[in-house]
Amino acid sequence: MARSWPSVTVTAALFAILVSAPTAHGAFPGRNGFITYVHSSYSSDEEGLGPTTSELSLMAGPLLGGDRYTLRSCRRIDDLPQDSACADSVGSPAYSSDGQLLVVDAGKQLAILDSDGSDFRLLPPQTADDGEPVWSPDGKRIAFTGVPSGQTSPDVYVLNVAKGTSRRLTTTGGRSPAWSSRNRIAYVTRYSSVIGRPPRGQLAIVKPNGSGRRRLTRQGGLAPTWSPHATKIAFVRRGYLYVMDA
């Protein structure tokens, strides 16, 4: 049985934690106790005559307040890149379980960097558009979404980081993978988004080898997140936060 809370309360709580992060895509910490998130800003003069400046930054800092640190930043003036980091994106950051590494959506492929922002390195592309990465508990694999050649909707894959090879886990669509400490991957299936309406989907679960796939919800579910011991899943349904046994 799932219990629910209004998502506006959750949003307010996260806003209080991430005071300087109007743009989200965040990851809860590994053992370093930090969260990481993407922050964007935009500025121009009141009359609109001067240059416009925008900045997209990958930030990190302690969960419960304290200093925030810029790991990577791209500044543009009148849409012209001013930094070498502008060559790649930094969406959907996720810490490894030991907090030493980050994986990000770098545009059409994934990238890994050290937790201090150094040693940024692109991973070999696996599909036409790799995204939404999340680490396995042992830090050797990454679950992600990828768009197969000739298709438009993503599926869930698992990448062996050392070998640079991946396994496709779903064939009927998959988004928002979340890898549990007990080696199960929750994800969103049957996803749909119509202009003017909130997105919809169902939660499902699969093992990293592609077996044991089954649906968890019948009345909708988005954005799954595991509890630390992998006994429960938090998710969003029609604007409310729910928790279900897993």
Side-chain angles (χ1 to χ4, degrees), residues 11-216:
T11 303
L14 286 175
F15 183 78
I17 294 172
L18 303 177
V19 176
S20 62
T23 302
H25 281 187
F28 281 99
R31 293 177 184 173
N32 62 5
F34 276 30
I35 57 171
T36 180
Y37 57 92
V38 178
H39 176 274
S40 61
S41 63
Y42 176 88
S43 64
S44 63
D45 63 22
E46 294 182 358
E47 298 179 355
L49 300 177
T52 59
T53 302
S54 62
E55 189 163 1
L56 185 71
S57 303
L58 179 63
M59 308 289 293
L63 175 62
L64 298 178
D67 293 333
R68 296 284 186 255
Y69 305 95
T70 300
L71 304 181
R72 276 179 80 80
S73 182
C74 165
R75 187 168 62 99
R76 296 175 183 269
I77 297 178
D78 287 340
D79 208 31
L80 296 176
Q82 306 295 308
D83 304 290
S84 59
C86 293
D88 304 291
S89 181
V90 287
S92 303
Y95 273 115
S96 59
S97 60
D98 62 5
Q100 298 302 305
L101 294 172
L102 281 165
V103 61
V104 298
D105 179 348
K108 295 292 185 179
Q109 61 195 106
L110 306 180
I112 293 175
L113 63 157
D114 292 346
S115 60
D116 63 359
S118 64
D119 198 18
F120 182 92
R121 52 210 185 269
L122 291 169
L123 297 176
Q126 303 296 310
T127 72
D129 188 0
D130 303 340
E132 296 188 286
V134 60
W135 288 96
S136 65
D138 61 9
K140 296 179 179 180
R141 292 168 293 174
I142 295 170
F144 67 98
T145 58
V147 179
S149 179
Q151 298 187 24
T152 57
S153 297
D155 275 299
V156 177
Y157 292 74
V158 167
L159 170 70
N160 183 309
V161 177
K163 295 181 179 180
T165 58
S166 61
R167 174 195 294 268
R168 186 175 177 180
L169 301 187
T170 66
T171 57
T172 57
R175 295 172 181 261
S176 306
W179 203 318
S180 80
S181 59
R182 294 186 179 180
N183 227 23
R184 295 179 293 171
I185 298 173
Y187 64 98
V188 175
T189 186
R190 301 175 67 88
Y191 179 87
S192 65
S193 179
V194 178
I195 296 176
R197 297 182 182 180
R200 302 178 64 181
Q202 303 291 345
L203 298 188
I205 196 171
V206 66
K207 293 180 180 179
N209 62 6
S211 66
R213 187 166 56 244
R214 61 186 176 91
R215 209 157 110 186
L216 297 178

